Amino acid sequence: MTRVAAIDCGTNSIRLLIADVPAEGAHTDLLRRMEVVRLGEGVDATGRLAPQAIERTRQVLAEYAAQARELGAERVRMVATSASRDAENRAEFEAMVTATLGRLPDVATGVEEAGLSYLGATASLAAAARAHGTAEPEPPYLVVDIGGGSTEFVLGDASGVRAARSVDVGCVRLTERHLHSDPPPPEEVQAAETDIRAALAQVAAGVPVAQARTLVGLAGSVTTVAALALGLPAYDPDAIHGSRIPVAAVRSVSAGLLTASRARRAALPVMHPGRVDVIGAGALILRVVMDTFDLDEVVISEHDILDGIALRLARPQA
């Protein structure tokens, strides 16, 4: 058993998982945390990480580092994704992380990010299906990880990853680029959809999407859409993980979010405050993916790149 601390620093949020990972089988969570720090605030327009965004991230990272020490994590890894990968002042961010955490972050390539997401998302699919009393999802899986700055697509099966592609459409990036009104009018939504469809053409050129038997969706935008589709009175990870959401429900939820005011979105009982401003774009990405690739349902995973980082820390060959 290896105790590890995995940190995922994305465009919108920074998350921590401290877990005990056996040589094989399921890992045991000791602590999970997620804080919205919006590291990628403005980076699409300026190409730089804002000083206030770096400072927000530093404050939370200091708490995570302390908790990793307190719980006796033997191995620690922080993976930083789209926002820091794109930034001109990436060195400033890396210096902050080194001073706060005691080690450099791994600024993952899009393909590496996709592989970690695939590992984390698929490791517990069979167990989740048993918990729901449903049939196990069939491979090959198309894992779609909708982040703040980018979305990762990875096709794979039990033998691992077959193909992967990362594209620069994410819920924060699209919101800042296109969805400026409250709520956004049809022309703003259409402009965002045009960006998504252009990115999906890149995906289709590199990933044989038609081979997929099961779409697996992950990250906060997807799980929030699932919570709304399921009509949950409060956010419930156990109810969400492994659930199957039909495309008609995704279309309905996406349309509702994009036509709702900010105040109405904020009042939804399953909505995390940090997702209120960007959930419409995240839901739109999922809907356009399903429509473009003619996918009739999505299996939801609460496990993602964070779990992949933890598993790879303890099992380097995983």
Side-chain angles (χ1 to χ4, degrees):
M1 189 76 72
T2 306
R3 182 162 294 183
V4 301
I7 300 169
D8 167 39
C9 184
T11 301
N12 194 45
S13 63
I14 181 169
R15 301 179 301 146
L16 169 69
L17 170 61
I18 300 175
D20 285 335
V21 184
E24 57 183 40
H27 54 288
T28 302
D29 293 4
L30 301 176
L31 177 67
R32 278 186 191 260
R33 281 190 61 185
M34 188 275 281
E35 302 292 340
V36 172
V37 295
R38 199 64 60 84
L39 176 63
E41 177 188 8
V43 76
D44 187 57
T46 67
R48 297 179 63 83
L49 298 172
Q52 65 270 21
I54 293 175
E55 174 57 19
R56 289 194 299 266
T57 306
R58 185 199 65 78
Q59 292 176 10
V60 176
L61 183 60
E63 296 177 12
Y64 287 2
Q67 289 177 311
R69 288 192 299 269
E70 289 165 7
L71 290 173
E74 302 164 49
R75 301 176 190 172
V76 179
R77 184 186 184 194
M78 175 176 171
V79 171
T81 53
S82 178
S84 51
R85 188 167 61 230
D86 298 342
E88 294 173 6
N89 59 337
R90 170 173 157 179
E92 295 175 27
F93 171 74
E94 291 179 335
M96 179 278 288
V97 173
T98 301
T100 307
L101 190 62
R103 68 197 68 218
L104 275 168
D106 294 327
V107 181
T109 66
V111 172
E112 183 185 6
E113 188 177 343
L116 289 168
S117 294
Y118 180 83
L119 175 63
T122 60
S124 61
L125 286 180
R130 289 193 294 271
H132 283 276
T134 58
E136 292 185 18
E138 293 184 45
Y141 309 115
L142 177 65
V143 172
V144 178
D145 183 353
I146 300 174
S150 63
T151 296
E152 281 62 57
F153 294 79
V154 54
L155 181 76
D157 52 26
S159 63
V161 172
R162 295 186 183 179
R165 181 64 62 94
S166 176
V167 289
D168 284 338
V169 290
C171 59
V172 174
R173 194 183 297 270
L174 286 181
T175 300
E176 291 185 350
R177 191 178 289 174
H178 298 296
L179 305 182
H180 304 135
S181 306
D182 179 28
E187 57 269 26
E188 290 184 6
V189 175
Q190 185 56 54
E193 183 168 339
T194 298
D195 267 10
I196 298 165
R197 291 191 182 278
L200 295 185
Q202 299 174 33
V203 172
V207 178
V209 173
Q211 294 179 11
R213 299 292 299 275
T214 300
L215 171 65
V216 181
L218 47 146
S221 289
V222 174
T223 59
T224 302
V225 168
L228 292 167
L230 293 168
L232 299 179
Y235 194 91
D236 182 351
D238 291 335
I240 293 167
H241 186 53
S243 62
R244 294 171 179 256
I245 308 299
V247 66
V250 172
R251 291 179 186 135
S252 176
V253 170
S254 175
L257 290 168
L258 287 165
T259 54
S261 66
R262 187 188 189 284
R264 188 172 158 198
R265 296 193 304 273
L268 295 168
V270 300
M271 187 68 64
H272 188 284
R275 299 209 184 279
V276 173
D277 293 330
V278 298
I279 186 60
L284 180 65
I285 294 169
L286 179 60
R287 193 271 290 168
V288 176
V289 166
M290 296 183 75
D291 282 342
T292 301
F293 295 142
D294 195 24
L295 299 163
D296 58 5
E297 74 171 7
V298 56
V299 176
I300 309 299
S301 179
E302 279 278 352
H303 294 174
D304 52 29
I305 188 172
L306 192 60
D307 301 80
I309 297 166
L311 290 167
R312 187 67 54 78
L313 262 177
R315 307 170 190 161
Q317 304 308 314

